[in-house]
Amino acid sequence: MPLSNSSPRSRPLLAVIMMALIALCCAQRASAQSPGTLSGPGFLETAAISNLFELETSKLALARTQSPQIRAFADMMVEDHTKIAARLKRAAADAKGDFTFPTALDGEHASLLEKLRAASGPAFDALYVQIQTTAHQQAVGLFGAFANDGDQTALKAFAAETLPIMQNHLAQVLKIQVKT
């Protein structure tokens, strides 16, 4: 049942259920793919898809949210993740490896983006915050692990330089209060 057709009383419940499913899905992916075991190409693919996902969901938030707090966060995401994408491409070039740079989301992230597109109002805001929280928890784990144990010097340096930005994003999204 689409959120727009549900009764006002059931919308918060549906939003909570959707957030729980997203968290479960993302937790399973994180446990199945330990960031510390990623090679340079694996890190590059995962980081690029994650970056693109955070960028696309934030652009959508700028178009949809009425919350000044979420708008400010989404603005920061678009600005920072646009820069991160350019830096990641430079690091991949500096690594001189045989890298394929993804230009589209994988199935899991595309599905989450579609769920976000289907939401509106407070349910949209709650889902966006949950998605960004989970994405940044994963990014902090990925970048931290690769910065410590990565096998490509240029990508390892990129991960170490970008980790504080991801940690800041996580801290900022955790401060957002969503009214449902």
Side-chain angles (χ1 to χ4, degrees):
M1 161 183 5
L3 287 176
S4 59
N5 294 339
S6 60
S7 73
R9 280 191 258 165
S10 67
R11 286 181 186 163
L13 177 60
L14 289 173
V16 168
I17 291 169
M18 285 177 59
M19 288 186 287
L21 288 173
I22 289 168
L24 177 62
C25 173
C26 293
Q28 287 175 341
R29 179 181 172 153
S31 66
Q33 179 177 320
S34 173
T37 63
L38 286 178
S39 64
F43 170 77
L44 177 75
E45 179 179 7
T46 304
I49 289 172
S50 174
N51 192 68
L52 180 60
F53 178 68
E54 291 170 29
L55 188 58
E56 291 301 315
T57 55
S58 294
K59 287 178 182 177
L60 184 59
L62 287 172
R64 297 259 184 99
T65 190
Q66 299 300 311
S67 165
Q69 197 176 20
I70 291 175
R71 183 170 297 283
F73 179 78
D75 265 333
M76 179 178 65
M77 292 296 93
V78 170
E79 182 177 332
D80 288 354
H81 284 279
T82 298
K83 292 175 186 174
I84 289 168
R87 288 182 42 239
L88 180 57
K89 287 179 183 176
R90 281 194 304 273
D94 291 347
K96 295 179 176 60
D98 185 22
F99 299 116
T100 302
F101 204 88
T103 57
L105 296 175
D106 60 7
E108 177 185 345
H109 288 93
S111 175
L112 288 173
L113 181 58
E114 286 308 311
K115 287 177 184 174
L116 186 61
R117 283 187 177 129
S120 62
F124 173 90
D125 290 349
L127 186 56
Y128 173 73
V129 169
Q130 178 60 45
I131 283 172
Q132 288 295 323
T133 300
T134 301
H136 282 93
Q137 288 168 337
Q138 291 176 340
V140 166
L142 172 70
F143 281 70
F146 199 82
N148 288 330
D149 300 320
D151 66 351
Q152 296 280 339
T153 304
L155 292 175
K156 191 173 176 174
F158 164 80
E161 292 167 6
T162 308
L163 179 59
I165 298 168
M166 297 298 169
Q167 291 168 328
N168 179 55
H169 290 173
L170 179 58
Q172 295 304 314
V173 75
L174 290 172
K175 293 178 185 177
I176 297 175
Q177 301 294 314
V178 178
K179 296 178 184 172
T180 56

